[in-house]
Amino acid sequence: MGKKSLLQKLASAYVWGNLVAIALVVILLSIGVKVAMDWYTHHGESIVVPNVVNMQYDDAKEKLKALGLDIMVNDTGYNQKLPPDCILEQTPVEGKRVKGGFVVFVTINSAGAPTLVLPDVIDNGSWREVRSQLVSMGFRMAEPEYIPGEKDWVYGVKVGGRRVQTGDRISTEAKLVVMVGDGTRSASDSVNFDSSGLEFEDFVQEPEYIYEEVEVPIDYDEHKEKETTTEAPSAEAPKP
């Protein structure tokens, strides 16, 4: 095949038609991708985020859906003055402009107060140390109850008048009453009485002796003590 014949074939309408078709396909694909991206990202469109705080979750969901926004719960809190499922916080806040389909994250009110696990503080630290640890964890503290024991040592914890143990779950609304030693010890105090330093004699109770008073007559004239003796009468020997 000669060069001339090859050039003629390349210049034929068929070849140029294919090239034009390929170019059109590329252009149409580019336009389609751009339109699809604009539609997906809502190019040039913005929505003002409304305020949904203090609204019930279902009501807030309907309100945001009507504007083209989604909602998602990312945390829970507790406010005893508000009903359960009430929205406490939202992100982004009211007034922010976002694109359609944006997700608004909310914190809702739980049905009851959250609970915390009581750490190992019983008989394991001083009042100051224990109080600092419990407050940092979020517990509420009442005035301590002082009991016989080593001064400022923690011997127990009460909630609502009932003693609790390490590992118990306690409401953050409850107040803890810590039982603290007042600096005295007592053998009757089973919590803090230590008999390891006592001798055997300490456990032995001395007997109580009862003394009887006896009056002895005295001759004040001669200043001599008269002894009174009582002799049993002797039996007379029988006569033969």
Side-chain angles (χ1 to χ4, degrees):
M1 181 183 298
K3 293 181 178 181
K4 185 176 180 180
S5 174
L6 181 60
L7 291 174
Q8 289 176 351
K9 183 174 291 188
L10 292 174
S12 64
Y14 177 77
V15 174
W16 283 108
N18 288 338
L19 294 175
V20 170
I22 293 173
L24 289 174
V25 170
V26 172
I27 293 172
L28 291 174
L29 286 175
S30 300
I31 294 174
V33 170
K34 186 177 184 304
V35 171
M37 289 300 293
D38 289 344
W39 175 81
Y40 181 76
T41 59
H42 298 274
H43 180 70
E45 177 186 352
S46 64
I47 301 173
V48 179
V49 177
N51 180 29
V52 295
V53 175
N54 293 335
M55 293 181 61
Q56 287 296 113
Y57 176 80
D58 292 338
D59 297 337
K61 183 177 181 180
E62 292 296 327
K63 183 175 182 178
L64 293 175
K65 184 178 180 181
L67 295 174
L69 301 175
D70 291 332
I71 187 172
M72 180 177 293
V73 177
N74 68 335
D75 200 1
T76 58
Y78 180 71
N79 186 334
Q80 60 180 354
K81 297 181 180 180
L82 297 175
D85 292 336
C86 181
I87 295 178
L88 303 176
E89 297 178 0
Q90 69 177 77
T91 303
V93 297
E94 174 190 9
K96 290 289 185 179
R97 287 189 170 271
V98 297
K99 295 179 179 179
F102 193 86
V103 178
V104 177
F105 295 95
V106 296
T107 300
I108 64 172
N109 195 32
S110 61
T115 59
L116 297 173
V117 177
L118 184 69
D120 185 15
V121 296
I122 299 175
D123 202 20
N124 196 29
S126 67
W127 163 232
R128 179 177 297 181
E129 295 169 343
V130 170
R131 183 180 186 279
S132 177
Q133 180 180 355
L134 295 177
V135 170
S136 66
M137 293 179 62
F139 286 102
R140 300 178 63 189
M141 308 298 297
E143 290 296 322
E145 176 185 337
Y146 289 96
I147 63 173
E150 183 179 347
K151 186 173 179 58
D152 291 335
W153 189 254
V154 172
Y155 290 97
V157 178
K158 289 183 178 180
V159 176
R162 181 181 62 87
R163 295 191 66 164
V164 293
Q165 304 297 328
T166 299
D168 289 349
R169 300 197 70 92
I170 302 172
S171 170
T172 54
E173 293 296 305
K175 288 188 176 182
L176 304 186
V177 177
V178 179
M179 304 169 67
V180 183
D182 60 3
T184 63
R185 287 186 177 273
S186 172
S188 62
D189 183 7
S190 60
V191 176
N192 47 46
F193 176 64
D194 184 7
S195 62
S196 59
L198 300 181
E199 301 295 338
F200 174 76
E201 290 78 4
D202 296 324
F203 295 95
V204 179
Q205 185 176 3
E206 293 292 337
E208 295 183 357
Y209 295 96
I210 300 176
Y211 297 91
E212 182 180 359
E213 295 183 357
V214 178
E215 293 185 359
V216 179
I218 300 175
D219 187 349
Y220 292 97
D221 295 333
E222 298 179 0
H223 301 286
K224 293 182 179 180
E225 180 179 338
K226 292 183 177 180
E227 296 182 358
T228 60
T229 59
T230 303
E231 296 181 357
S234 58
E236 294 183 357
K239 293 182 180 181

